[in-house]
Amino acid sequence: MIPRSRTVSLLVALGAISLSACASEEKPVQQLKPLALKEQASNIVKSADGYAVTWAGVLSNANPWHFGEHVVATIVGHDARGAEVVRMDQPLDAVPPGGSLAFTGQASATQKPAKVTIQYRPAQWRQAARIASAFQRFPTSRVQTMRQKDGTYLITGYVDNPYKIPASTLVVNALLRDKAGKLLGGGSTFVDEVEAGSPPRFILTVSGLPKGAAVATTEITARTWGSTGRPYEELALSGAVPVHTVKPTTEPFAVDRSTQIVSEYKQ
């Protein structure tokens, strides 16, 4: 028979070995997928002081639990000889978990670029406080796209807020596409203090499309403004407005007909 003192000592030693083994094991590092530039389009038109370069792009975030924050897009244009004629860094808004981010911009160049490319710096990742489905889209309605005599497109509509608290600032993006769905260009604008049930009107203009561009569809998206996901997260944490907010005015059924039908069927 092993004495009690030796038994206790043996158990303590085994526990120490187990703890040291666990401590020596490295915790698995969560691998996050980088943002992906799904689409990009750029256009170059002659302007009074040189050339106007416009662009539109869509970034995609395949990580369902993390915001992609502090993203900066770099737009570079080269002439036919390969010399750089325009460069611009564009800070972008946070890319929501499992979602995408549309962005547009414009810059001036003294010489005509032959090629324009869009690159971006890697995102800083931050885990979201809610699941991806909690970050609802901002509904848009009554969207109209009107081509103007000068070749620009005037786009109007209304954007709503599905959350209980007001959204201080939203960015509204319009992406124009042809019949095949190809991205032609786009534009952006801002709306402030968007409350649920009181959608403000937005107006924006898309210019710089090539002559003869046939716009078939307009894709409108809205998002919170800022390089971090905090504003979007605060909205999601407040909760969404219930779909049905009006109490029924009719009297309830005297007999639950569905229950009655099931009872008759069983008999």
Side-chain angles (χ1 to χ4, degrees):
M1 178 183 241
I2 300 174
R4 184 175 180 277
S5 59
R6 291 187 178 180
T7 302
V8 173
S9 300
L10 181 60
L11 291 175
V12 171
L14 290 174
I17 293 172
S18 177
L19 288 174
S20 62
C22 293
S24 63
E25 292 181 0
E26 294 184 359
K27 294 182 179 180
V29 179
Q30 185 176 10
Q31 296 295 328
L32 297 175
K33 298 180 181 179
L35 297 175
L37 186 60
K38 292 175 56 180
E39 298 176 278
Q40 62 174 308
S42 59
N43 298 292
I44 303 161
V45 296
K46 192 73 174 67
S47 63
D49 56 350
Y51 296 89
V53 182
T54 61
W55 60 84
V58 179
L59 276 175
S60 177
N61 180 8
N63 303 293
W65 300 101
H66 290 77
F67 277 99
E69 300 183 332
H70 303 290
V71 185
V72 178
T74 301
I75 295 84
V76 181
H78 294 88
D79 63 14
R81 295 176 298 177
E84 183 178 300
V85 294
V86 62
R87 171 181 287 268
M88 180 176 177
D89 288 335
Q90 181 184 11
L92 302 180
D93 299 317
V95 189
S100 61
L101 175 78
F103 63 94
T104 66
Q106 181 173 336
S108 299
T110 56
Q111 301 180 35
K112 184 178 181 180
K115 183 180 180 181
V116 177
T117 58
I118 301 176
Q119 301 174 347
Y120 63 92
R121 300 174 192 171
Q124 296 180 22
W125 299 105
R126 184 176 62 82
Q127 187 168 349
R130 298 292 303 274
I131 60 175
S133 60
F135 298 98
Q136 299 187 26
R137 293 178 177 269
F138 297 93
T140 58
S141 60
R142 291 175 278 176
V143 176
Q144 291 184 321
T145 302
M146 296 163 282
R147 191 179 188 278
Q148 308 300 296
K149 292 182 179 180
D150 61 355
T152 62
Y153 286 84
L154 179 66
I155 301 168
T156 64
Y158 294 82
V159 59
D160 206 348
N161 177 12
Y163 298 102
K164 293 180 179 179
I165 62 176
S168 58
T169 302
L170 295 180
V171 185
V172 180
N173 286 280
L175 299 181
L176 303 184
R177 302 180 182 276
D178 62 13
K179 289 183 179 180
K182 180 182 177 182
L183 180 62
L184 299 175
S188 304
T189 189
F190 295 87
V191 287
D192 298 323
E193 296 301 325
V194 184
E195 296 186 10
S198 301
R201 189 186 187 201
F202 65 84
I203 302 174
L204 62 89
T205 301
V206 178
S207 60
L209 296 186
K211 292 182 179 180
V215 176
T217 59
T218 301
E219 180 183 320
I220 303 293
T221 59
R223 65 174 186 269
T224 53
W225 178 60
S227 60
T228 74
R230 295 293 184 187
Y232 207 171
E233 203 165 50
E234 290 175 359
L235 291 171
L237 289 172
S238 72
V241 175
V243 178
H244 302 288
T245 57
V246 180
K247 185 178 181 180
T249 56
T250 57
E251 294 292 331
F253 292 115
V255 178
D256 188 343
R257 298 184 63 185
S258 62
T259 305
Q260 184 179 5
I261 293 172
V262 171
S263 299
E264 292 175 357
Y265 175 77
K266 289 182 177 180
Q267 291 177 1

